[in-house]
Amino acid sequence: MSSIDDLLSCYLKQNQELFGNTLYLEKTASMPEQNDTQPEPAMRLSSFYEQIRHCEQCSLGKTRTNFVFGDGNENADLVFVGEAPGKQEDLLGIPFVGRAGKLLDRILEAINLKRSDIFICNVLKCRPPNNRDPLAGEIEQCEPYLQTQLEMINPKVIITLGRVAAKTLLHLDLPLGQMRNNTYLYHGIDTVVTYHPAALLRNPNLKKPAWEDFQRIRDTYLITE
Ligand code: URA
């Protein structure tokens, strides 16, 4: 018999002498108690929202109407990340509800997705006044919130909409046209870069390549046979 078997048999004998046929085992790290189990992502996300919704880490906390946390399915396989709330989003507290959001809804529908199938949020949770570009310091303050959201949801794929989201998550400062044909990894999660729907509204020539990106997303992550 090996020494491990000797030790085990000795331990079992002692245990039997002390406690009869009831076996008492010490709790180890690999034996979680009932209440150690992870809460559902939805519960964790909503309590995270409660923790951060009054954020005033940067000056946008003073000028916003609503903190725009994110919206959709907390168990989603696909998470879309935009730039920052615009006027409508700030008023309603929900991301992508303005013109760009309506276009995104139509694109999602074309690949058989509803808003309730995905989770959608932004790099910044508060609207920059007059829709100016986010400042580097604002992104730096807000990025950990996005990082935690992505960790909690742990989707199959992240889709970044526009350069700001791609640059923030992937630390790549390249023209979008150069980034969009690749799949990157963000903390082990596939990440696909595509155009922001507002860019498609400004420049309809981008609709064709954007549609190719969404077909690729559909064929890679939605068709499972
Ligand atoms: N543009 C974004 O990047 N996010 C929104 O929520 C709305 C418009």
Side-chain angles (χ1 to χ4, degrees), residues 54-221:
H54 301 294
C55 175
E56 292 207 351
Q57 299 277 359
C58 78
S59 65
L60 300 184
K62 300 243 183 311
T63 54
R64 70 168 178 243
T65 312
N66 281 297
F67 183 87
V68 184
F69 178 77
D71 182 44
N73 184 342
E74 294 88 346
N75 297 301
D77 284 341
L78 288 83
V79 173
F80 288 76
V81 181
E83 180 176 318
K87 188 171 179 196
Q88 297 303 319
E89 291 77 17
D90 176 60
L91 290 174
L92 293 174
I94 304 169
F96 284 95
V97 286
R99 272 185 77 216
K102 301 259 181 308
L103 174 58
L104 181 65
D105 287 348
R106 293 215 308 274
I107 301 173
L108 291 175
E109 210 180 304
I111 59 166
N112 259 329
L113 284 174
K114 298 182 294 299
R115 280 283 282 257
S116 55
D117 296 322
I118 63 154
F119 190 83
I120 188 160
C121 59
N122 286 301
V123 171
L124 294 192
K125 308 303 185 214
C126 302
R127 182 191 182 208
N130 304 315
N131 295 351
R132 64 154 168 75
D133 288 345
L135 303 177
E138 293 162 353
I139 294 177
E140 205 177 306
Q141 288 292 339
C142 222
E143 190 187 348
Y145 294 159
L146 175 60
Q147 206 170 319
T148 303
Q149 288 177 305
L150 294 170
E151 251 168 47
M152 287 179 165
I153 301 170
N154 192 23
K156 262 200 223 163
V157 60
I158 298 164
I159 297 106
T160 61
L161 301 169
R163 265 187 84 197
V164 170
K167 187 176 168 196
T168 304
L169 292 183
L170 303 173
H171 300 283
L172 281 179
D173 200 1
L174 294 171
L176 207 127
Q178 267 180 46
M179 289 190 278
R180 54 172 277 272
N181 279 320
N182 293 320
T183 301
Y184 302 89
L185 281 180
Y186 172 83
H187 294 256
I189 303 171
D190 280 10
T191 303
V192 172
V193 175
T194 190
Y195 295 101
H196 194 290
L200 309 184
L201 291 172
R202 283 192 303 268
N203 180 359
N205 290 334
L206 298 178
K207 285 186 179 171
K208 186 171 177 284
W211 175 232
E212 287 164 8
D213 295 340
F214 277 85
Q215 284 175 300
R216 179 161 77 94
I217 293 163
R218 177 195 61 198
D219 297 346
T220 314
Y221 301 101

Side-chain angles (χ1 to χ4, degrees), residues 39-52:
E40 286 298 304
M43 226 176 93
R44 293 191 295 146
L45 259 195
S46 60
S47 56
F48 182 52
Y49 167 65
E50 290 302 326
Q51 272 173 39
I52 65 172

